[in-house]
Amino acid sequence: GAVVSQHPSWVICKSGTSVKIECRSLDFQATTMFWYRQFPKQSLMLMATSNEGSKATYEQGVEKDKFLINHASLTLSTLTVTSAHPEDSSFYICSARDGRTSGVRAMINEQFFGPGTRLTVL
Amino acid sequence: AQTVTQSQPEMSVQEAETVTLSCTYDTSENNYYLFWYKQPPSRQMILVIRQEAYKQQNATENRFSVNFQKAAKSFSLKISDSQLGDTAMYFCAFMKQSARQLTFGSGTQLTVLP
C-alpha cells in the first residue's frame, strides 16, 4: 500500500513553454502533498506544501507564479512550470501524506514519495 | 529553523561489513521525529528507519539501526551485513511534531564494494 505515482517520468520541452507534472496517491487519500526539487548529487529542497482544496504554501524564494500548484482532489496534485527556462531543468519529486488518522500516529505518518520527474528545458 | 548536517559526502564499505553514517541536527523543539531515507540510482525515495524523539530506545529495522543521542542532537545510522543493494544516497531528515515538512540533510553517498 501507500503508492504515489508521478507522470510523466521525464519530459523535454522548449524554453518558454509550460509543463504540467501530476502526482497521484493510488491507494490512500493524501490530505497534504509536497513538491521538492533536486539538483544532481544534491539534497531535496522543499518548494511548496499543498493541502487539498486550499492554496499551496510556497517556501521562501520559490516563485508562486512560475510554479503553479493545484491540489483539487485527495488523490491528485499538479505542478505546472510556466514559461520554462533552462535553469528550471531539474528533478522534481512529490510526496504525499495520509492525514486521515488522528493523534500521535498522524504526526509520525511518513511521507510517501513519488518516483520523480526529470525535466529538461532546451 | 531546523538544520540537518551530514558531514560525510561519500562512504564505502565492503560487502558483509558494518558501516555507520553520521547525522547531526539543530533544533529548539522538544518533540520531533527523525528519519533516514535511501535514494538508490532509480531515485525513488525509500524510508529506511524512523525515530520518535520522545522514545529513548533506539529504533531498529532488520539490518538497520540508529544511535539516537538527543542531548547531543545526533542521529547516526548503522548498517550491518552490508549488501550490494544498499548502495545508494542516504538522507537524514527532521520533522517537528507541530509541522509536516521534512528538512533533509545534504546526503551521504554509500557504495558497497563486492
Side-chain angles (χ1 to χ4, degrees):
Chain A
V3 177
V4 175
S5 70
Q6 273 185 249
H7 178 80
S9 56
W10 60 271
V11 58
I12 301 173
C13 70
K14 292 182 178 180
S15 186
T17 61
S18 295
V19 174
K20 179 183 286 188
I21 302 170
E22 293 186 348
C23 177
R24 292 181 184 274
S25 57
L26 300 185
D27 51 4
F28 66 98
Q29 294 180 323
T31 54
T32 306
M33 287 186 170
F34 305 87
W35 287 95
Y36 297 87
R37 184 172 180 175
Q38 185 180 31
F39 291 105
K41 299 188 183 299
Q42 294 189 23
S43 188
L44 282 71
M45 299 301 296
L46 180 66
M47 298 175 67
T49 302
S50 73
N51 293 295
E52 184 267 336
S54 62
K55 290 184 178 180
T57 302
Y58 291 81
E59 295 300 301
Q60 191 173 8
V62 178
E63 299 176 59
K64 61 181 66 178
D65 293 330
K66 180 167 187 60
F67 299 99
L68 301 179
I69 292 173
N70 183 279
H71 191 166
S73 77
L74 284 171
T75 59
L76 174 65
S77 176
T78 60
L79 166 67
T80 301
V81 182
T82 63
S83 187
H85 289 282
E87 56 265 31
D88 298 325
S89 298
S90 188
F91 193 68
Y92 293 87
I93 303 175
C94 74
S95 69
R97 177 179 176 272
D98 183 350
R100 288 174 299 167
T101 54
S102 60
V104 176
R105 288 298 302 173
M107 289 295 116
I108 63 173
N109 277 349
E110 64 181 278
Q111 291 183 21
F112 301 101
F113 286 83
T117 297
R118 181 178 303 282
L119 170 64
T120 301
V121 184
L122 302 177
Chain B
Q2 286 67 231
T3 59
V4 179
T5 302
Q6 293 180 249
S7 59
Q8 306 152 313
E10 297 180 353
M11 293 190 72
S12 62
V13 62
Q14 290 293 140
E15 196 174 5
E17 297 295 311
T18 296
V19 64
T20 298
L21 280 58
S22 301
C23 173
T24 59
Y25 58 95
D26 188 24
T27 184
S28 58
E29 301 286 327
N30 190 50
N31 298 314
Y32 51 87
Y33 305 92
L34 296 163
F35 306 83
W36 277 98
Y37 282 90
K38 167 185 177 181
Q39 189 180 41
S42 68
R43 307 201 64 175
Q44 172 72 60
M45 294 288 285
I46 301 166
L47 177 66
V48 175
I49 198 166
R50 64 171 166 235
Q51 174 81 42
E52 293 91 329
Y54 63 86
K55 289 187 176 179
Q56 292 186 340
Q57 186 173 7
N58 289 324
T60 62
E61 287 287 343
N62 301 314
R63 299 183 295 108
F64 300 89
S65 62
V66 299
N67 183 2
F68 174 48
Q69 301 291 328
K70 190 172 184 179
K73 295 180 181 175
S74 170
F75 182 60
S76 61
L77 174 69
K78 185 172 81 171
I79 305 174
S80 303
D81 186 25
S82 297
Q83 300 175 0
L84 295 178
D86 295 334
T87 293
M89 180 74 87
Y90 286 81
F91 292 101
C92 178
F94 172 99
M95 183 178 76
K96 59 182 182 181
Q97 183 173 322
S98 58
R100 294 164 245 159
Q101 293 92 343
L102 285 167
T103 300
F104 287 93
S106 55
T108 296
Q109 175 63 49
L110 175 68
T111 301
V112 180
L113 304 170

